[in-house]
Amino acid sequence: MPSFPRSSPDEANADVSLPVGETWLTSSDLAARWNIPLKTIASWASAGTGPRYSRLGRYRRYRLAAVRAWEHQRLIDAAPADPTPPAAPSVADDETWLTTTELAQRLQIPARTLAGWASTGIGPRYARLGRHRRYRLADLRVWEHQRENASPLRDRRTLH
């Protein structure tokens, strides 16, 4: 019987027993959640810079609560001077992260504009996930709502 190569150790052991009542994610799940390469997750784990995880033999599992806490910290670290508090997210919006390209398409603006906004500290709240900038849908909805209610004169001066 031929054996087929597995793409990662996490996928090879997807049926590992974990504590009941908690949601656990594999490295592949995290990479898909943030739309970043799986190799980045592995690099963070070896450097100790990513979200906390538990070892199950040679497999890493990430508690969803710890992942959310790490994401929240990235949001705070990315824009400490931002007066807009993080949104009170719905479950679906809290779990959805957009790439710069996806957000640029949504807003119908060039991706370079978002990069400029990020470097000057204006625009929607984002989180730095390594070298990747990701925008949480809940925070984006709050920012869009604020923009709808902004006066035209204020629009010309700032994009907060």
Side-chain angles (χ1 to χ4, degrees):
M1 182 173 194
S3 67
F4 297 99
R6 307 234 185 214
S7 58
S8 76
D10 284 335
E11 291 174 5
N13 199 26
D15 60 342
V16 170
S17 298
L18 292 168
V20 178
E22 295 188 48
T23 302
W24 294 81
L25 305 173
T26 65
S27 296
S28 298
D29 294 336
L30 278 183
R33 178 183 177 95
W34 297 324
N35 194 17
I36 61 176
L38 183 59
K39 195 172 187 178
T40 300
I41 303 292
S43 174
W44 290 347
S46 66
T49 58
R52 295 183 63 159
Y53 61 89
S54 296
R55 297 288 301 189
L56 299 171
R58 65 181 183 154
Y59 307 103
R60 287 185 296 274
R61 294 295 183 264
Y62 299 83
R63 181 178 290 135
L64 183 57
V67 169
R68 286 181 177 155
W70 191 79
E71 290 170 348
H72 183 71
Q73 189 60 45
R74 299 289 76 70
L75 286 168
I76 291 170
D77 291 347
D82 189 355
T84 308
S90 71
V91 173
D93 288 355
D94 189 38
E95 302 299 317
T96 304
W97 292 82
L98 301 175
T99 65
T100 302
T101 304
E102 292 168 340
L103 181 57
Q105 289 172 350
R106 177 186 173 105
L107 298 176
Q108 298 179 354
I109 61 174
R112 287 175 35 182
T113 299
L114 289 170
W117 288 352
S119 68
T120 58
I122 60 175
R125 179 184 295 275
Y126 64 90
R128 295 292 305 187
L129 305 176
R131 64 183 180 95
H132 308 280
R133 194 175 331 114
R134 295 295 182 259
Y135 299 86
R136 190 172 65 159
L137 187 55
D139 292 329
L140 180 60
R141 289 186 196 277
V142 168
W143 182 80
E144 288 172 339
H145 181 70
Q146 290 172 342
R147 301 297 311 137
E148 290 172 359
N149 297 330
S151 69
L153 182 58
R154 183 172 179 240
D155 289 348
R156 290 189 207 128
R157 284 188 249 147
T158 180
L159 293 171
H160 286 287

